[in-house]
Amino acid sequence: MDTLDLARWQFAITTVYHFFFVPVTISLVAITAGLQTAWYRTGKEKYLRLTKFYGKLFLINIAMGVVTGLVQEFQFGMNWSDYSRFVGDVFGAPLALEGLLAFFLESTFIGLWMFGWDRLPKLVHLGCIWMVVLGTQLSAYFILAANSWMQNPVGFRVNPERGRAELTDLWAVLTNKVVLVTYPHTIFAAFMVGGAFVAGVALWHLLRRPDTDRAVFRSALKIGASIVLVASAGVAISGDLQGKVMTEVQPMKMAAAEALYETEKPASFSAFTIGTLDGSKEIFSIKVPYLLSFLATGHFDGEVKGINSLQDAYEQLYGPGSYKPNIPLTYWTFRLMIGVGMASAAVALWLLWTTRRGRAPAPWLIWLAAPLPLLPLVANTFGWIFTETGRQPWLVFGLLPTASGVSPGTTSGEVITSLVGFTALYGVLAVVETKLLLRTIRAGLAGSDAPPPDPEPEQPDKPLSFAY
């Protein structure tokens, strides 16, 4: 492989690895805040114990997310310097807001929440965790605004002398029609992951330790499974809106997602397709009539442009070359995203049904404890692979081809060296993360039995102590 291919592989591997932690962080901090709010309002000890238990898991996860996220910044300069130069003026504002505002809120109030259990009034301490929630939401929005600009560039002008895009309207970037639908879709998908994580851990404890804290973990199971169901409905609704916007701004991505080679009106949704290995021709397909037209346009008789006609149009607009993404990859990641996500919701619904009215979960359900959190996480991953590979061959749609963004002075040997180094480092981090999470999960609610003492303002010199 040449330098471009290696750089793309490295960025894909490190980004997908980093994104394993993102949805858990976004959702688990909000779930923890919700549990603490329930304790503050009801005074029930079970909510306090669950707050501390899942709060520990959140802290472990966010620490790993921050470490792996820093690598993304380094890669822009290492392997994608021409890309960084082209988008730097546009990305500077939203990413600065993310760092100075969102990350500041997260880092500051996480510290106050961690060390403030016995130092701050209950309401102030509760406010700290909600400020962390606000910080994670702002961080997600600003980063998605930057990514959405790559999908649908707005609020800029190209400076031909400097060969880069320059920001002219920050508000247009922050209100890009793509980010307005991508943000809720991403957040709902993250809550599917977080809810499944909470439910999976609770299910494990109910089955492996049936005589310990049964009532507490039964509540956690119901809360987690309910979050998955509500979030899955949000994913479906926001995904439908996102599909229509995607058809408008990136019609080739929608055509590739359906392996639709010829323009159709009305267009059918292919539930299963077999094509040639190069993705240039359909051999066999099972289709649902009219569904694709509705998903793409909102009308059952709407026209959906095909790959071949779009290729011809793009050649006339941008010049000779292939403007098709990897059709098999785009097609199957789109379906796996939907299929695995639906399976997650089905499992959550089934768990609620089998444990209704105080019923004990069947022992063989232990086999669902580990896969349950992984299902929506895998669906999230397939969704991002689809989003980014479906945009190819563009880094910035219609402006900057992927081949033009790689660092000109970088050699294949340098990329291979950093790729091996990152892979080895991430392997070690995966072992550390897994051991920390499993150790904390196995410990259960130990140490979370008693509520924290009220703050003692008469002892201002009392040293801070870690809450756990």
Side-chain angles (χ1 to χ4, degrees):
M1 292 188 289
D2 59 17
T3 303
L4 172 62
D5 292 330
L6 289 168
R8 291 182 65 188
W9 269 107
Q10 179 173 308
F11 196 86
I13 291 170
T14 54
T15 301
V16 168
Y17 186 92
H18 169 63
F19 196 73
F20 287 156
F21 308 101
V22 172
V24 181
T25 298
I26 290 174
S27 55
L28 199 55
V29 64
I31 294 171
T32 301
L35 290 169
Q36 186 170 346
T37 302
W39 170 63
Y40 177 80
R41 293 180 61 86
T42 66
K44 293 182 179 179
E45 186 180 332
K46 68 176 182 179
Y47 292 124
L48 172 62
R49 300 174 71 193
L50 288 174
T51 298
K52 290 194 170 186
F53 175 63
Y54 285 108
K56 294 178 187 179
L57 299 174
F58 157 68
L59 292 173
I60 294 171
N61 185 81
I62 194 173
M64 195 65 67
V66 170
V67 172
T68 57
L70 292 174
V71 176
Q72 311 309 310
E73 305 292 337
F74 289 126
Q75 286 197 89
F76 289 146
M78 289 169 53
N79 299 335
W80 301 98
S81 60
D82 279 356
Y83 162 77
S84 300
R85 180 176 56 81
F86 185 84
V87 304
D89 191 72
V90 177
F91 278 19
L95 294 185
L97 288 172
E98 191 272 335
L100 297 176
L101 177 61
F103 191 73
F104 172 79
L105 286 174
E106 291 178 79
S107 56
T108 301
F109 286 98
I110 280 178
L112 291 172
W113 185 75
M114 286 170 57
F115 297 106
W117 279 98
D118 57 352
R119 298 291 296 179
L120 299 173
K122 289 182 180 179
L123 184 59
V124 175
H125 187 257
L126 175 61
C128 289
I129 190 66
W130 279 112
M131 291 301 291
V132 179
V133 174
L134 176 61
T136 60
Q137 294 298 315
L138 289 173
S139 181
Y141 190 89
F142 291 135
I143 291 173
L144 288 172
N147 180 270
S148 296
W149 188 85
M150 296 165 62
Q151 318 290 337
N152 180 42
V154 294
F156 75 101
R157 69 180 182 90
V158 174
N159 187 325
E161 296 180 359
R162 298 185 177 182
R164 67 174 188 173
E166 296 182 347
L167 182 67
T168 59
D169 189 347
L170 176 60
W171 183 248
V173 174
L174 296 179
T175 58
N176 189 336
K177 65 177 68 178
V178 175
V179 72
L180 293 179
V181 292
T182 299
Y183 171 74
H185 189 66
T186 303
I187 298 303
F188 280 125
F191 272 94
M192 288 188 69
V193 178
F197 181 80
V198 170
V201 171
L203 177 62
W204 184 87
H205 275 281
L206 283 173
L207 294 172
R208 293 294 298 270
R209 300 181 179 184
D211 299 325
T212 305
D213 302 312
R214 173 178 289 276
V216 179
F217 280 115
R218 176 176 288 278
S219 295
L221 176 62
K222 291 181 178 180
I223 291 170
S226 299
I227 289 173
V228 174
L229 289 178
V230 174
S232 64
V235 167
I237 295 170
S238 59
D240 177 66
L241 297 173
Q242 190 178 31
K244 293 172 174 56
V245 172
M246 181 177 68
T247 303
E248 178 184 348
V249 301
Q250 291 178 301
M252 179 63 87
K253 184 185 290 187
M254 174 57 81
E258 298 302 325
L260 183 70
Y261 291 92
E262 303 298 334
T263 300
E264 293 185 7
K265 181 182 179 180
S268 301
F269 179 88
S270 55
F272 179 83
T273 292
I274 298 175
T276 56
L277 292 178
D278 61 358
S280 62
K281 185 178 179 182
E282 175 187 304
I283 299 175
F284 171 78
S285 182
I286 300 175
K287 298 185 177 182
V288 181
Y290 305 103
L291 182 56
L292 178 57
S293 288
F294 180 78
L295 294 175
T297 68
H299 303 283
F300 286 103
D301 60 347
E303 180 181 84
V304 181
K305 296 290 186 180
I307 294 170
N308 294 334
S309 61
L310 289 169
Q311 170 65 25
D312 294 339
Y314 287 166
E315 284 187 357
Q316 294 181 11
L317 184 61
Y318 303 116
S322 175
Y323 298 94
K324 303 175 185 178
N326 186 311
I327 305 300
L329 179 63
T330 308
Y331 178 89
W332 285 112
T333 51
F334 185 65
R335 271 143 191 80
L336 288 169
M337 172 189 68
I338 297 173
V340 177
M342 292 175 64
S344 306
V347 171
L349 179 61
W350 187 55
L351 280 177
L352 286 176
W353 175 257
T354 56
T355 57
R356 70 192 186 283
R357 298 177 183 175
R359 289 178 171 85
W364 63 269
L365 287 177
I366 189 67
W367 297 104
L368 284 177
L372 178 58
L374 297 178
L375 286 174
L377 184 61
V378 169
N380 269 255
T381 303
F382 281 131
W384 274 109
I385 293 174
F386 163 73
T387 298
E388 298 306 299
T389 58
R391 188 183 63 245
Q392 298 303 316
W394 301 102
L395 276 174
V396 181
F397 184 77
L399 295 176
L400 181 68
T402 302
S404 300
V406 70
S407 300
T410 303
T411 65
S412 298
E414 292 172 338
V415 181
I416 290 175
T417 301
S418 58
L419 176 58
V420 172
F422 283 138
T423 302
L425 175 61
Y426 278 10
V428 173
L429 291 177
V431 173
V432 173
E433 166 88 357
T434 302
K435 285 189 174 181
L436 288 173
L437 287 176
L438 291 179
R439 181 183 301 173
T440 305
I441 290 171
R442 290 193 185 102
L445 301 177
S448 304
D449 297 323
D454 291 329
E456 302 177 59
E458 69 277 11
Q459 301 179 15
D461 297 329
K462 182 179 179 180
L464 291 175
S465 59
F466 187 55
Y468 302 114

